[in-house]
Amino acid sequence: MQQRRLGRVGHQSSVLIYGAAALAEVDQDTADASVQLALDAGINHFDVAASYGDAELRLGPWMPTIRDRIFLATKTGLRGRDEAWAQVNQSLERLQTDHLDLIQIHSVGDLEELDVVTGPGGSLPAVVRARDEGLAGAVGITGHGHKAPAAHLEALRRFPFDTVLSPLNYVLGQDPAYLADYQALVAEIQAQDVGLMIIKTVSRRNWPEPDEHGYTTWYEPFDDQERIGAAVAWVLSHPEVTGIATPGDVRLLPLLIEAEQRLPETSLADAEQVLAGAGDYSSPFLRIPF
């Protein structure tokens, strides 16, 4: 699998980042099969969060054998300094490791959330403490929503985050306001040599029926090889992108692995043609159910 440098962190990360939200509600056997598939495909970067159900517990049994082979990232979504510090330590226990490669402040999608985490008593000092005490190698920030790129740009002005995890896909890239915010974020990321990771690559839209979900993702994903291939190729055509987090359902992982393997055969023009013709394609952030 292709690898790209994760900014000044320096890790050569696989362009597919294992999105361990997919493990939130599965049993250990299902998790094991999915993790093994990822490893066999060459995925060397795993991304989880304390809030992803049992995902940290599902990854934990793997750590004694693969910890030195992977880049391991988790996230805290708690906003207070002390509670975030406690959650980081709990994540280490659940993951059965004594250190993380990356600890991220989770789900900061607008300036109001950013003010909380960077303000007095916010969670930023907790993740910095984790880094300074050797519990984590780097500090990052993540977020959802149409305001996320602008919030992440301001975050980089306030603190030298090592990584950013922000949304991008073809349909978001067609929104002039969103694209302008994303491009401004990219300019600052390149200036500071920050690692940029992408979420919502294969999102299609919000679920038409909120109570009828065919996958464990909170948005409806593309689930056919042609459009997933086009979506992956389109995002990875951006050289500033280190990698894309795979979506939160184990059943979709094989399609993304196949898409990465077919990248040499997929031109940007072909990808754009496929995505431009995709029906019922819209931002997943028109309605965020959390």
Side-chain angles (χ1 to χ4, degrees), residues 208-232:
E209 298 295 335
D211 297 327
E212 297 180 12
H213 295 185
Y215 293 94
T216 54
T217 48
W218 60 262
Y219 54 88
E220 181 181 359
F222 288 127
D223 61 358
D224 63 282
Q225 191 64 64
E226 181 182 40
R227 287 183 292 182
I228 283 182
V232 168

Side-chain angles (χ1 to χ4, degrees), residues 83-125:
E83 60 183 0
W85 172 250
Q87 188 171 62
V88 170
N89 282 274
Q90 181 185 54
S91 288
L92 289 166
E93 294 177 6
R94 285 158 57 96
L95 287 164
Q96 300 183 37
T97 185
D98 60 1
H99 73 285
L100 305 160
D101 295 300
L102 174 65
I103 180 63
Q104 299 158 104
I105 299 178
H106 192 31
S107 198
V108 180
D110 56 42
L111 294 180
E112 291 76 15
E113 286 290 312
L114 182 64
D115 287 343
V116 172
V117 302
T118 60
S123 55
L124 179 58

Side-chain angles (χ1 to χ4, degrees), residues 168-241:
L168 183 66
N169 59 32
Y170 176 79
V171 75
L172 290 172
Q174 306 313 299
D175 178 339
Y178 190 91
L179 182 61
D181 286 345
Y182 173 78
Q183 290 173 334
L185 172 62
V186 168
E188 188 63 25
I189 277 172
Q190 292 176 328
Q192 294 192 30
D193 195 18
V194 174
L196 175 61
M197 300 167 286
I198 296 298
I199 54 174
K200 304 302 173 278
T201 296
V202 301
S203 166
R204 178 184 180 186
R205 58 179 176 174
N206 287 124
W207 287 107
E209 298 295 335
D211 297 327
E212 297 180 12
H213 295 185
Y215 293 94
T216 54
T217 48
W218 60 262
Y219 54 88
E220 181 181 359
F222 288 127
D223 61 358
D224 63 282
Q225 191 64 64
E226 181 182 40
R227 287 183 292 182
I228 283 182
V232 168
W234 189 84
V235 170
L236 289 179
S237 73
H238 294 72
E240 71 275 7
V241 172

Side-chain angles (χ1 to χ4, degrees), residues 6 17 45 102 104 163-166 195-199 241-243:
L6 188 62
I17 297 166
H45 185 146
L102 174 65
Q104 299 158 104
T163 66
V164 167
L165 182 68
S166 209
L196 175 61
M197 300 167 286
I198 296 298
I199 54 174
V241 172
T242 294

